[in-house]
Amino acid sequence: MTLNELQQQLSSQKIDACIITRHNQFLGQDILPSENRIHQLSGFSGSAGTLLVFKDKAYLFTDGRYEIQAARETNPEQIEVVITNGQSLGTWMQNNLRENKLKIGYNPWCHSVSETDFWKRALKNIEFVELPELLADSLLDKKEVDIFEHDITFAGVSMDEKISLLTEFMKKNQLGGFLLTSCDSVSWLLNLRSNCLPDTPILRAFAFVNALGEVSLFTNDFNQLEHELKNYKNQNIGLDCKHAPRALFSLMKKYKIWIENLPDPIQAWKAVKNPIEISNLKQAHLRDGVSLVRLLIWLEQNYAGKTELDVVQKIHELRQENTNFYSESFDTIAGFGANGAVVHYHPQTETNLELKDGSLLLLDSGAQYYDGTTDVTRTIAIGAPTPEMIRDYTLVLKSHIALATACFPEGTSGLALDAIARAPLWKCGKNYNHGTGHGVGFFLNVHEGPNSISSRNSQTPLAENMITSIEPGYYKENHYGIRIENMARVISCNNPEFELPMLGFETLTLVPLDKQLIDKYLLTREEQDWLNCYHQQVFEQLSPLLNPQEQNWLRQACAPLD
Amino acid sequence: MTLNELQQQLSSQKIDACIITRHNQFLGQDILPSENRIHQLSGFSGSAGTLLVFKDKAYLFTDGRYEIQAARETNPEQIEVVITNGQSLGTWMQNNLRENKLKIGYNPWCHSVSETDFWKRALKNIEFVELPELLADSLLDKKEVDIFEHDITFAGVSMDEKISLLTEFMKKNQLGGFLLTSCDSVSWLLNLRSNCLPDTPILRAFAFVNALGEVSLFTNDFNQLEHELKNYKNQNIGLDCKHAPRALFSLMKKYKIWIENLPDPIQAWKAVKNPIEISNLKQAHLRDGVSLVRLLIWLEQNYAGKTELDVVQKIHELRQENTNFYSESFDTIAGFGANGAVVHYHPQTETNLELKDGSLLLLDSGAQYYDGTTDVTRTIAIGAPTPEMIRDYTLVLKSHIALATACFPEGTSGLALDAIARAPLWKCGKNYNHGTGHGVGFFLNVHEGPNSISSRNSQTPLAENMITSIEPGYYKENHYGIRIENMARVISCNNPEFELPMLGFETLTLVPLDKQLIDKYLLTREEQDWLNCYHQQVFEQLSPLLNPQEQNWLRQACAPLD
């Protein structure tokens, strides 16, 4: 369907406007390119966008990082680009459509119950109408999907054990069942994965679990789901209204089910990794570290004439030799020079830069191993770095260390930790325009909630055995980008001198930092100690897996600051 | 009225329970002792408490700092004490009264619209009924009150200018008037003050301002207010439902007024001090600093045989000699030894300790000057401090300096800044159980919103020319308490090397810190520099106001760390 065709439909259906999102019914989950209705309708290919289409005009909402790209990819005569940093569509409508009496259509499969409730409360002048048929045909790609079991030796806990956690939860909350709508919850609960999405081995499905622990799975036949729900008339059924599509809520209402709006408990359970997952994840990081070390050696010896895409290809080749490798965990970011300063850059043939002496390469990549998901960023000097690059890199390192060495009481929010990471950069009048850390799934989404470390929406307190990235950065527009990202586990600080129980971080990523970029005189003694200690660990853990030449290289790379 | 009499009334009115707060109709504002219905009904004298009275039982809700006191002051056969740290009464009822069908009465003058709305939404099983008459007679003390003008040379901006800000705001929001319900907003707007409360020169009144800027003031005759509201039928009138009593909302409904729920804009305006207020406040801090220096000298020479109450008396005598002195800004906290570890301790005859060698005196005090409100805490070694005291004091100093020297972008919340202050203590496994900073009014409430620096409810970003306290602490139960509190102004950081506009703090308080308690080897070079620089400023600014003996003392006290 084209934008014009959609606009004609609005006229024929007597609707003033309609809302189109990038989501299908699996809200918040990655989509396939063929499912991207924002791209199809507007030409915009960025990963964040919503359209509000009027008969004679359309608004494309996206965030600041896509400002230039959205302008380039859309037709300004048809579409006005609106940059909404953090502001929701609902709030925008509240501020901009206050005076109008409007009838606005939306697809109830593509919006959560909470979001649509907010609209209805906040925008009394607008009549919102459900239009599931409008674009329903293209919600899900019909390709064949392989579903496979995630072995217990990887997952650590059996499906049965996980289901009994859920039945206990239902018993406590007097529920006759729970309708799970988050793909990662379903995948985790059933120890199932699929090849549906390229870098995310998630199973895209809803699951209904009743009080007996019987599970029904719905991957695309939603008539089947309706059929199932009919059996639960007048029963209390759990639904996480923040993450469940409106259409499911309406179905449940239709069959007179009592909806108990409760946070999906699996989101919190899967965020806390079990001992086998943690021990697996450490193994995965050994292999991932070896691949990165080999890449760093290759780069040092061969960078002349190579491009960003060569680096992307090389790290892929190195990783895919590893035991338990399944896929990358996201499209590798290899940004050289000015490209490194574009926060969500992925090299394309048209933008691909050749590596040349005197700038920085920002390399952000990761893998899905059956025994864990990795995500690591290193910034590497190509040729001799300038003093400014060294100063800026050292500042980002100070930010990284500030958080990596932080202790904090239970209950501390990600927002508080975010400030601890930023404080050293703030003191020098600098900042970075992205979050400081995100949860990481276990052979699931590389970005997963509920925990995050950010100045926005980081209410969930960190708890022991949660996994987070720590990734402060600094971006000098048109020049270079710096980011230092490790994955870390939340641990309890076992310091006998502590009066209060405190949490801290254990770094999982094992890849040396480029010492050429570090000015030790800008580091405190404690910061130097952290770096030397980290490097010693990297060397001790990786060297048994390397050949003698590689060992020699790593010994140098990990030698203490002199 | 006694608790028994109240319980009999419940029976005769066929109500299951009723809610009694410490508030009168001026929600969130200090009250007079004679207005304290919690004290009258339960015997509990703490500054935070709510009663939920059933026919045969009553619950007293208070927070952790009052746990012991509440148990001591109440009769356990009548009253069960519930410690609710941060949890609201509404949330407690949600968790504990879910199953019951109840009819609960409340005084609509003593609860905000938002609070009662929350109850009604969250507690479908409870019928809430308005009972204004139940305890209405004792809401306000009937004592005579003097109202006086706050001179423009102090306030900096005339009433007329302030009112025109408000009429502009009303025009922009298409309002026919605004009903102001926060006393400090009313006092600020009209440059009026009163002697109603002992340490807070606030005028207790509601004010109605219409679109022409005409003001009607209501201090106790609320029939008059009803009479006024009648004139605004079918008009849009602004009301801040978070801070307005339910009873006013009902009155406005009764007269068919369209209520526009908007945050009272004056709260944000008065938080940002004008240039004359700031210059006045600096003058007030000079005088206040001189009094504190004289106190420190007196203490050093005379502490033997003196008690906490002697210190309270002495600082009062010293301050009241100052130009523009009006009153203390709160009851002085002088906590020696173990008393210092009780966070909200005020010395009483029964608890009054004598100062003895080998412990610490925590002195938290302030004054209301016509030209500004002060609030300062110093911790002073009495005799020789132990190494542990020195270490703990130095840690608190590190926390204080971390925040005092922080830079942060506009939009940073108080919650983020709170973590920056706590990080040094957290790293040593310590914490403190109170906020890090509060806004300070200008010859108004010594604690004022909307800005605060705390791990709870600190959403309001700090802005240039807001005033805040910075007051980390550490409390060793049964031994000693440490707090270092300065008042600071939010300033824009004018560092030409900064890429981004940043905010920071300018310290206003001018009182030396006790160098006996500082271990310079625990401070970084930058922290030492901050301290030496602060002390130099204290000496330079205060010494012209001191006699030669005092100057000599201050020169020593402010000499750089050796």
Side-chain angles (χ1 to χ4, degrees):
Chain A
M1 187 185 288
T2 67
L3 190 59
N4 278 332
E5 285 164 5
L6 177 62
Q7 288 172 321
Q8 279 157 25
Q9 284 205 26
L10 293 181
S11 291
S12 66
Q13 300 209 22
K14 303 212 188 316
I15 302 163
D16 297 301
C18 76
I19 299 166
I20 313 284
T21 70
R22 274 183 98 246
H23 300 297
N24 51 36
Q25 52 274 74
F26 301 113
L27 307 178
Q29 187 57 58
D30 279 353
I31 54 170
L32 287 167
S34 58
E35 295 163 354
N36 188 343
R37 285 158 299 139
I38 299 298
H39 187 217
Q40 289 151 23
L41 289 168
S42 73
F44 174 60
S45 65
S47 71
T50 305
L51 280 167
L52 177 61
V53 181
F54 287 85
K55 284 169 204 162
D56 51 357
K57 180 168 193 179
Y59 294 92
L60 170 67
F61 301 91
T62 187
D63 61 61
R65 62 198 155 117
Y66 288 119
E67 189 165 4
I68 296 161
Q69 183 181 336
R72 203 176 56 223
E73 292 180 342
T74 58
N75 175 355
E77 283 171 24
Q78 280 193 306
I79 294 174
E80 180 178 335
V81 176
V82 181
I83 303 301
T84 58
N85 281 314
Q87 195 190 36
S88 73
L89 173 63
T91 311
W92 186 90
M93 292 194 291
Q94 232 183 343
N95 294 332
N96 292 276
L97 305 179
R98 289 188 87 162
E99 324 242 318
N100 313 44
K101 279 261 170 217
L102 293 172
K103 189 169 173 182
I104 296 185
Y106 69 97
N107 188 329
W109 286 103
C110 303
H111 297 274
S112 72
V113 185
S114 303
E115 186 183 16
T116 49
D117 276 348
F118 173 78
W119 295 346
K120 289 171 192 179
R121 259 205 321 275
L123 293 142
K124 306 265 186 227
N125 55 313
I126 297 178
E127 181 192 351
F128 288 97
V129 290
E130 301 193 0
L131 297 171
E133 70 288 358
L134 204 58
L135 283 162
D137 56 333
S138 58
L139 275 185
L140 279 190
D141 188 299
K142 301 289 183 221
K143 76 164 192 172
E144 278 283 316
V145 169
D146 286 336
I147 300 179
F148 56 94
E149 203 185 320
H150 192 213
D151 198 272
I152 180 105
T153 56
F154 302 129
V157 174
S158 71
M159 176 182 84
D160 288 348
E161 277 181 84
K162 291 177 177 179
I163 289 174
S164 58
L165 280 178
L166 187 59
T167 50
E168 261 175 59
F169 174 87
M170 291 193 276
K171 198 171 166 193
K172 206 180 120 208
N173 288 278
Q174 299 171 299
L175 301 177
F178 206 108
L179 179 52
L180 297 167
T181 57
S182 291
C183 301
D184 55 353
S185 288
V186 173
S187 306
W188 180 90
L189 180 74
L190 306 177
N191 287 343
L192 289 180
R193 300 293 188 272
S194 91
N195 67 348
C196 176
L197 298 172
D199 296 328
T200 307
I202 214 139
L203 171 65
R204 297 205 298 188
F206 298 136
F208 183 83
V209 186
N210 70 16
L212 300 172
E214 293 162 344
V215 182
S216 310
L217 200 61
F218 308 96
T219 53
N220 48 34
D221 185 353
F222 300 114
N223 291 326
Q224 206 48 45
L225 172 57
E226 187 166 351
H227 192 74
E228 174 83 18
L229 289 176
K230 282 182 190 166
N231 304 323
Y232 292 88
K233 189 176 167 181
N234 288 333
Q235 294 203 33
N236 281 338
I237 302 298
L239 186 76
D240 185 338
C241 287
K242 268 201 187 140
H243 302 104
R246 181 92 219 168
L248 284 182
F249 184 90
S250 304
L251 265 182
M252 291 169 81
K253 283 274 174 208
K254 178 174 161 191
Y255 293 108
K256 300 208 178 356
I257 291 169
W258 297 103
I259 299 169
E260 284 273 347
N261 177 14
L262 290 169
D264 167 358
I266 295 176
Q267 290 288 313
W269 296 338
K270 73 173 172 39
V272 175
K273 271 58 181 177
N274 66 51
I276 293 174
E277 285 175 324
I278 286 165
S279 121
N280 280 331
L281 196 48
K282 289 185 177 182
Q283 293 299 313
H285 273 99
L286 288 174
R287 296 191 297 279
D288 212 54
V290 166
S291 297
L292 261 294
V293 165
R294 289 184 176 140
L295 181 95
L296 293 172
I297 296 173
W298 172 83
L299 204 55
E300 190 174 294
Q301 297 169 351
N302 301 281
Y303 72 88
K306 296 295 190 299
T307 67
E308 294 167 346
L309 285 171
D310 294 329
V311 177
V312 171
Q313 177 59 23
K314 185 69 187 178
I315 185 66
H316 176 73
E317 286 167 15
L318 288 164
R319 276 200 174 106
Q320 72 176 355
E321 289 165 20
N322 286 335
T323 309
N324 288 336
F325 177 84
Y326 173 81
S327 71
E328 246 97 72
S329 57
F330 56 95
D331 285 345
T332 294
I333 296 173
F336 180 69
N339 283 344
V342 181
V343 172
H344 285 261
Y345 174 76
H346 296 277
Q348 313 276 329
T349 320
E350 318 85 69
T351 59
N352 188 25
L353 286 181
E354 194 182 313
L355 310 187
K356 292 207 166 120
D357 279 357
S359 197
L360 304 177
L361 174 67
L362 186 155
L363 179 63
D364 186 352
S365 67
Q368 296 282 1
Y369 300 101
Y370 291 105
D371 52 353
T373 303
T374 66
D375 184 359
V376 49
T377 308
R378 287 296 178 267
T379 305
I380 306 133
I382 304 295
T386 65
E388 198 191 8
M389 293 171 188
I390 294 171
R391 186 203 59 201
D392 290 343
Y393 183 92
T394 310
L395 262 177
V396 174
L397 178 59
K398 287 173 86 79
S399 275
H400 187 101
I401 297 172
L403 186 53
T405 62
C407 289
F408 49 93
E410 273 178 35
T412 302
S413 68
L415 199 156
L417 297 173
D418 181 76
I420 290 176
R422 287 178 203 268
L425 278 160
W426 284 352
K427 237 180 194 168
C428 299
K430 298 177 197 290
N431 201 359
Y432 49 94
N433 194 13
H434 58 74
T436 301
H438 55 81
V440 182
F442 187 83
F443 194 50
L444 282 174
N445 289 306
V446 67
H447 288 195
E448 80 165 20
N451 53 298
S452 70
I453 302 175
S454 146
S455 60
R456 285 206 274 258
N457 302 323
S458 293
Q459 307 291 338
T460 304
L462 292 190
E464 205 176 339
N465 291 326
M466 280 183 175
I467 304 292
T468 184
S469 70
I470 296 179
E471 48 178 311
Y474 170 70
Y475 306 90
K476 191 172 162 71
E477 214 183 328
N478 301 319
H479 288 81
Y480 51 81
I482 296 166
R483 185 158 66 244
I484 303 174
E485 177 185 24
N486 285 340
M487 277 173 59
R489 171 167 82 107
V490 180
I491 55 168
S492 132
C493 291
N494 286 318
N495 188 324
E497 288 186 6
F498 280 14
E499 288 166 23
L500 301 171
M502 288 276 163
L503 299 172
F505 295 108
E506 174 191 36
T507 300
L508 299 172
T509 302
L510 295 166
V511 180
L513 302 174
D514 190 345
K515 282 190 298 194
Q516 287 182 85
L517 286 168
I518 298 172
D519 178 353
K520 72 175 248 185
Y521 297 104
L522 295 177
L523 297 180
T524 63
R525 179 60 174 275
E526 284 167 0
E527 288 164 341
Q528 294 180 31
D529 288 348
W530 180 88
L531 183 78
N532 291 334
C533 184
Y534 175 65
H535 271 157
Q536 190 186 340
Q537 248 188 308
V538 171
F539 180 73
E540 282 171 8
Q541 300 213 41
L542 297 188
S543 57
L545 307 168
L546 299 172
N547 70 34
Q549 286 80 6
E550 292 165 343
Q551 282 175 355
N552 279 337
W553 183 91
L554 190 62
R555 188 174 294 113
Q556 291 297 320
C558 292
L561 292 170
D562 41 40
Chain B
M1 187 186 287
T2 67
L3 191 58
N4 279 332
E5 285 164 3
L6 177 62
Q7 288 171 321
Q8 280 158 23
Q9 283 205 26
L10 292 180
S11 292
S12 67
Q13 300 209 21
K14 306 215 186 314
I15 303 165
D16 297 301
C18 74
I19 300 166
I20 312 284
T21 70
R22 274 183 99 246
H23 300 297
N24 51 36
Q25 53 273 74
F26 301 113
L27 307 177
Q29 188 56 58
D30 279 354
I31 55 170
L32 287 167
S34 57
E35 296 163 353
N36 188 343
R37 283 158 302 140
I38 299 298
H39 187 217
Q40 290 152 21
L41 289 167
S42 73
F44 173 61
S45 64
S47 71
T50 303
L51 281 167
L52 177 61
V53 181
F54 288 84
K55 284 169 203 161
D56 51 357
K57 179 168 193 177
Y59 295 92
L60 170 66
F61 302 90
T62 186
D63 60 61
R65 62 198 154 115
Y66 289 119
E67 189 164 2
I68 296 161
Q69 183 181 338
R72 202 177 56 221
E73 293 180 343
T74 59
N75 175 356
E77 284 171 26
Q78 280 193 307
I79 293 175
E80 179 178 336
V81 175
V82 181
I83 302 299
T84 59
N85 281 314
Q87 195 190 36
S88 73
L89 173 63
T91 311
W92 185 89
M93 292 195 291
Q94 230 183 344
N95 294 333
N96 293 277
L97 305 179
R98 290 187 84 165
E99 324 240 321
N100 313 45
K101 280 259 169 218
L102 293 172
K103 189 169 173 181
I104 297 185
Y106 69 97
N107 187 330
W109 286 104
C110 303
H111 298 274
S112 71
V113 185
S114 303
E115 185 182 17
T116 49
D117 276 348
F118 172 80
W119 295 346
K120 288 171 192 181
R121 258 204 323 275
L123 294 143
K124 306 267 188 223
N125 55 313
I126 297 179
E127 181 193 351
F128 287 97
V129 290
E130 301 194 1
L131 297 170
E133 69 288 357
L134 205 60
L135 284 163
D137 56 332
S138 57
L139 275 186
L140 280 190
D141 190 296
K142 303 288 183 225
K143 76 164 192 174
E144 278 282 317
V145 170
D146 286 335
I147 300 180
F148 56 94
E149 203 185 320
H150 191 213
D151 198 90
I152 179 101
T153 56
F154 301 129
V157 173
S158 70
M159 176 182 85
D160 288 347
E161 276 182 83
K162 291 177 177 179
I163 289 175
S164 57
L165 280 177
L166 187 59
T167 50
E168 261 174 60
F169 173 87
M170 291 194 275
K171 200 171 164 192
K172 206 179 121 209
N173 287 279
Q174 298 171 298
L175 301 176
F178 206 108
L179 179 52
L180 297 167
T181 57
S182 291
C183 301
D184 54 355
S185 288
V186 172
S187 306
W188 180 90
L189 180 75
L190 306 177
N191 287 343
L192 290 179
R193 300 292 189 270
S194 91
N195 67 347
C196 175
L197 298 171
D199 295 329
T200 307
I202 213 139
L203 171 65
R204 297 206 296 189
F206 299 136
F208 183 82
V209 185
N210 70 15
L212 301 172
E214 293 162 346
V215 182
S216 312
L217 200 61
F218 308 96
T219 54
N220 49 33
D221 186 352
F222 300 115
N223 292 326
Q224 206 49 43
L225 172 58
E226 187 166 351
H227 193 73
E228 173 83 18
L229 289 176
K230 282 181 190 166
N231 304 323
Y232 292 88
K233 188 174 167 182
N234 288 333
Q235 294 203 33
N236 281 338
I237 302 297
L239 186 78
D240 185 338
C241 287
K242 268 199 186 143
H243 302 105
R246 182 91 217 167
L248 284 182
F249 183 89
S250 305
L251 265 184
M252 290 169 81
K253 283 272 174 209
K254 177 173 161 193
Y255 293 110
K256 301 207 176 358
I257 290 169
W258 297 104
I259 298 168
E260 284 273 346
N261 176 14
L262 289 169
D264 168 356
I266 294 175
Q267 290 288 311
W269 297 339
K270 74 172 172 42
V272 174
K273 271 57 180 176
N274 67 49
I276 293 173
E277 285 175 325
I278 287 165
S279 120
N280 280 332
L281 196 48
K282 289 186 177 181
Q283 292 299 313
H285 274 99
L286 287 174
R287 296 191 297 277
D288 211 54
V290 165
S291 296
L292 260 295
V293 166
R294 288 182 176 141
L295 181 95
L296 292 173
I297 296 172
W298 172 84
L299 205 55
E300 190 175 294
Q301 296 169 351
N302 300 283
Y303 72 87
K306 297 294 189 300
T307 67
E308 294 167 346
L309 286 172
D310 294 328
V311 176
V312 171
Q313 176 62 23
K314 184 69 187 176
I315 185 65
H316 175 74
E317 286 168 14
L318 287 164
R319 275 201 174 105
Q320 72 177 354
E321 289 166 20
N322 286 334
T323 311
N324 288 337
F325 177 85
Y326 174 81
S327 71
E328 247 98 72
S329 57
F330 56 95
D331 284 347
T332 295
I333 297 174
F336 181 69
N339 283 345
V342 181
V343 172
H344 285 261
Y345 174 75
H346 296 277
Q348 313 275 330
T349 319
E350 317 87 69
T351 59
N352 189 23
L353 287 181
E354 194 182 314
L355 309 188
K356 294 211 164 117
D357 279 355
S359 198
L360 304 178
L361 173 67
L362 187 154
L363 178 62
D364 186 353
S365 66
Q368 297 281 3
Y369 299 101
Y370 291 105
D371 51 354
T373 303
T374 66
D375 184 0
V376 50
T377 309
R378 286 297 178 267
T379 305
I380 306 133
I382 303 294
T386 66
E388 198 191 9
M389 292 172 189
I390 293 171
R391 187 203 56 200
D392 292 342
Y393 183 92
T394 309
L395 261 178
V396 174
L397 178 59
K398 287 172 88 78
S399 275
H400 186 101
I401 297 173
L403 187 52
T405 63
C407 289
F408 49 92
E410 274 178 33
T412 302
S413 68
L415 199 155
L417 297 173
D418 181 75
I420 291 177
R422 287 178 203 269
L425 280 160
W426 284 352
K427 233 177 197 170
C428 298
K430 298 178 195 288
N431 202 358
Y432 49 93
N433 194 13
H434 57 73
T436 301
H438 55 81
V440 181
F442 186 85
F443 194 51
L444 282 173
N445 288 306
V446 69
H447 287 196
E448 80 165 18
N451 54 298
S452 70
I453 301 176
S454 147
S455 61
R456 283 206 277 257
N457 302 323
S458 293
Q459 306 293 336
T460 304
L462 293 190
E464 205 176 338
N465 291 325
M466 282 181 171
I467 303 292
T468 183
S469 69
I470 296 179
E471 48 178 312
Y474 170 71
Y475 307 90
K476 192 173 161 74
E477 214 181 326
N478 300 319
H479 288 82
Y480 51 81
I482 296 166
R483 186 158 65 245
I484 303 175
E485 176 186 25
N486 285 340
M487 277 174 59
R489 169 166 83 109
V490 180
I491 55 169
S492 133
C493 290
N494 286 318
N495 188 324
E497 287 185 10
F498 280 14
E499 289 165 24
L500 301 170
M502 288 275 163
L503 298 172
F505 295 110
E506 175 192 37
T507 301
L508 298 172
T509 301
L510 294 166
V511 180
L513 301 173
D514 190 344
K515 282 190 297 190
Q516 285 183 89
L517 287 167
I518 298 172
D519 178 352
K520 72 174 248 185
Y521 298 104
L522 295 178
L523 298 180
T524 64
R525 179 61 174 275
E526 283 166 1
E527 288 165 343
Q528 294 180 32
D529 287 349
W530 180 87
L531 183 78
N532 290 335
C533 182
Y534 175 65
H535 271 156
Q536 191 186 340
Q537 248 188 308
V538 171
F539 180 72
E540 282 171 8
Q541 299 212 42
L542 296 188
S543 56
L545 306 168
L546 300 172
N547 70 34
Q549 286 81 4
E550 292 164 344
Q551 282 175 353
N552 279 338
W553 184 92
L554 189 62
R555 188 174 295 113
Q556 291 297 320
C558 292
L561 293 169
D562 41 40

